[in-house]
Amino acid sequence: MTEELANHYRHIISGLGEDPQREGLRDTPKRAAKAMQFLTRGYHQSLEELINGAVFESETDEMVLVKDIELYSMCEHHLLPFIGKCHIAYLPNGRVLGLSKFARIVDMYARRMQIQENLTRQIAEAVLQVTEARGVAVVIEAKHMCMMMRGVEKQNSSMTSSVMLGAFRENQPTRQEFLTLVNGR
Ligand SMILES: Nc1nc2c(ncn2[C@@H]2O[C@H](COP(=O)(O)OP(=O)(O)OP(=O)(O)O)[C@@H](O)[C@H]2O)c(=O)[nH]1
Ligand SMILES: [Zn+2]
């Protein structure tokens, strides 16, 4: 699989007018193939194996917020990175999720070809599925290289996307509390 991908990269390099045999580029197809496999490894992960049973019984029913989870993904239109932060909140319903698992869920979906809106929704739905929470809220703030390095070349714009499920959708004060916590840095 890596070898086949590397071959495609060799064609891309010569298609761009470079010499894939010159010293600096000789191992590049293989490196690029491995890098791209890493950046898309989310396709080979499953929620169940990643959670690994780390859901614990708890009486708490107050909002839990995990803020500023770094995020590296790749836009499915240009295969260029988008980079940012993800904030996840949920209202426990008898069970809480191991803290590190929020970051693992983010990575599993981020390391695929994505658009930011779908990524946001997939993370929210995964957290809801695993915790059976009364509500889940996810906000992603990201900068898209396809808008910065090429195309419209805007360096300072960023995109914010959000998905609110359950109580965060139905209950205005809950939603407001979440947004205040996220913005109060
Ligand atoms: N909504 C959304 N759009 C995205 C995301 N990533 C990239 N895009 C946009 O996808 C669109 C693709 O537009 P096209 O006109 O088909 O492609 P293009 O000619 O390369 O577009 P330009 O970037 O405007 O040069 C662009 O407007 C991108 O900015 C994302 O995560 N969400
Ligand atoms: Zn793009």
Side-chain angles (χ1 to χ4, degrees):
M1 187 59 184
T2 309
E3 197 40 53
E4 194 186 325
L5 266 180
N7 259 329
H8 291 301
Y9 274 113
R10 222 161 270 125
H11 288 294
I12 290 172
I13 289 169
S14 51
L16 293 171
E18 258 285 8
D19 170 15
Q21 296 309 329
R22 79 171 167 83
E23 200 191 344
L25 290 177
R26 210 171 290 145
D27 292 331
T28 298
K30 197 162 191 179
R31 289 192 205 99
K34 282 187 177 163
M36 200 51 106
Q37 281 174 323
F38 179 85
L39 297 176
T40 56
R41 69 185 182 146
Y43 288 120
H44 308 290
Q45 296 175 314
S46 77
L47 202 49
E48 196 182 20
E49 119 196 77
L50 170 159
I51 298 303
N52 192 30
V55 179
F56 312 109
E57 280 183 26
S58 166
E59 301 278 287
T60 181
D61 60 357
E62 290 295 330
M63 184 184 305
V64 176
L65 169 66
V66 188
K67 227 164 88 165
D68 294 329
I69 302 169
E70 299 152 60
L71 174 147
Y72 299 90
S73 191
M74 190 166 53
C75 92
E76 65 187 22
H77 300 138
H78 301 94
L79 304 186
L80 287 172
F82 61 94
I83 298 170
K85 285 177 179 174
C86 180
H87 316 291
I88 305 174
Y90 71 116
L91 291 163
N93 192 12
R95 44 204 283 179
V96 293
L97 178 62
L99 182 57
S100 67
K101 304 302 180 187
F102 293 94
R104 291 195 186 280
I105 290 173
V106 169
D107 284 348
M108 177 173 89
Y109 292 109
R111 291 194 168 129
R112 299 179 184 193
M113 295 174 197
Q114 280 288 10
I115 64 169
Q116 187 177 326
E117 295 91 329
N118 293 347
L119 174 60
T120 314
R121 176 156 295 277
Q122 288 163 12
I123 293 168
E125 284 174 354
V127 172
L128 183 67
Q129 184 189 324
V130 170
T131 60
E132 295 173 7
R134 287 183 292 121
V136 174
V138 176
V139 168
I140 294 178
E141 302 165 58
K143 287 180 173 283
H144 290 245
M145 292 304 144
C146 65
M147 265 191 73
M148 297 169 71
M149 297 170 68
R150 56 158 296 289
V152 288
E153 297 181 61
K154 294 292 173 251
Q155 309 307 317
N156 297 307
S157 76
S158 68
M159 176 172 172
T160 302
S161 52
S162 67
V163 169
M164 308 274 167
L165 302 176
F168 287 96
R169 193 179 182 83
E170 291 143 18
N171 187 324
Q172 187 59 30
T174 303
R175 186 193 189 97
Q176 202 49 53
E177 182 186 349
F178 166 68
L179 293 173
T180 305
L181 287 172
V182 162
N183 293 322
R185 45 198 70 210

